[in-house]
């Protein structure tokens, strides 16, 4: 019995209670980083204006926003413009959610290596404030995103004029029982979650710290 107690005592004291965690545990010490933080982007970079990759990234943002608005607006109008009112006659609310989420998934996957896959001025503006984009690229991205959104909605209006005008272009409206302040608060929270997710997914520290975590962990 004394031998077992001695084994337990030695095992408990073999390792210190204060072990480094996270990136410090993976590196050689607390001051050693196992990730590289990218340098802040310059505020204004005129050299980008002569680079083809700069304009290629803007075209990617334009096409991504164009396709996103085209598919999502058509899906919304197909649901709210259903004259029969039958739940089986349209894709329903779940179909709208799948169209938005699915399009974002596909478009970010296709454009992430070209422009970063922003597809949203809020994401671009947030990355600019974090010094991950120059002012030149941020303004160009936002202009191309807005033009893509306008063209996407314009194509829908051209193909489905009656349906488009009869349903207000598929624009959001405050549901009965809620005020405009409630709607504004929901938009603020939703935009915060979106930008926070983008920052979390692109954080160099997170990539190093959670490198052992499988990509499918959130699904599992």
């Amino acid at each position: 019995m004394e031998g077992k107690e001695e084994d337990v005592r030695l095992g408990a004291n073999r390792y210190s209670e204060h072990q480094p965690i996270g990136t410090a545990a993976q590196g050689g010490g607390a001051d050693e980083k196992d990730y590289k933080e990218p340098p802040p982007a310059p505020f204004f970079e005129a050299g980008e204006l002569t680079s083809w990759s700069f304009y290629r990234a803007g075209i990617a943002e334009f096409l991504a926003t164009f396709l996103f608005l085209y598919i999502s607006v058509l899906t919304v109008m197909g649901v709210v413009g259903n004259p029969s009112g039958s739940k089986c006659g349209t894709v329903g609310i779940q179909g709208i959610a799948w169209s938005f989420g699915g399009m974002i998934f596909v478009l970010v996957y296709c454009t992430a290596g070209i422009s970063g896959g922003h597809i949203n001025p809020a994401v671009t503006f947030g990355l600019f404030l974090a010094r991950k984009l120059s002012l030149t690229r941020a303004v160009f991205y936002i202009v191309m995103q807005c033009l893509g959104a306008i063209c996407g909605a314009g194509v829908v209006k051209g193909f489905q004029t009656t349906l488009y005008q009869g349903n207000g272009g598929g624009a959001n409206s405050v549901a009965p029982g809620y005020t405009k302040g409630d709607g504004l608060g929901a938009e603020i929270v939703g935009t915060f979650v979106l930008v926070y997710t983008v920052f979390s997914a692109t954080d160099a520290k997170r990539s190093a710290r959670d490198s052992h975590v499988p990509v499918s962990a959130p699904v599992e």
Side-chain angles (χ1 to χ4, degrees):
M1 191 66 179
E2 292 182 359
K4 291 184 178 181
E5 292 180 355
E6 182 68 15
D7 291 340
V8 172
R9 185 180 64 81
L10 292 175
N13 295 331
R14 181 174 298 176
Y15 301 101
S16 172
E17 294 182 1
H18 300 287
Q19 293 291 328
I21 60 176
T23 56
Q26 300 173 10
D31 297 330
E32 183 178 347
K33 296 181 179 180
D34 57 353
Y35 66 91
K36 292 184 178 180
E37 189 74 33
F43 181 78
F44 183 81
E45 191 171 2
E48 290 183 320
L49 300 177
T50 60
S51 173
W52 162 241
S53 62
F54 175 76
Y55 296 99
R56 181 180 63 179
I59 294 172
E61 288 294 317
F62 173 86
L63 291 176
T65 314
F66 171 85
L67 292 173
F68 177 68
L69 265 292
Y70 176 73
I71 297 298
S72 59
V73 170
L74 273 180
T75 305
V76 170
M77 290 196 307
V79 174
V80 299
N82 182 26
S84 63
S86 173
K87 293 183 178 180
C88 297
T90 65
V91 296
I93 301 299
Q94 291 81 4
I96 294 176
W98 275 107
S99 70
F100 274 76
M103 285 301 296
I104 288 294
F105 177 85
V106 172
L107 293 173
V108 169
Y109 183 84
C110 293
T111 61
I114 303 174
S115 64
H118 298 186
I119 321 178
N120 192 318
V123 174
T124 302
F125 185 66
L127 292 173
F128 166 70
L129 293 180
R131 298 292 303 279
K132 297 181 181 295
L133 287 177
S134 65
L135 178 64
T136 315
R137 187 173 291 265
V139 171
F140 184 52
Y141 276 17
I142 292 176
V143 170
M144 296 301 285
Q145 290 162 358
C146 292
L147 288 177
I150 293 171
C151 292
V155 170
V156 174
K157 183 178 180 180
F159 285 144
Q160 300 286 345
T161 304
T162 303
L163 185 63
Y164 184 92
Q165 295 178 345
N167 294 283
N172 292 338
S173 60
V174 180
Y178 295 92
T179 64
K180 292 182 179 180
D182 297 333
L184 177 62
E187 290 294 326
I188 292 175
V189 172
T191 306
F192 169 81
V193 172
L194 170 64
V195 177
Y196 177 80
T197 302
V198 171
F199 272 80
S200 178
T202 58
D203 185 17
K205 301 174 186 176
R206 177 183 180 276
S207 300
R209 182 180 65 248
D210 300 337
S211 59
H212 63 285
V213 179
V215 178
S216 60
V219 180
E220 297 172 355

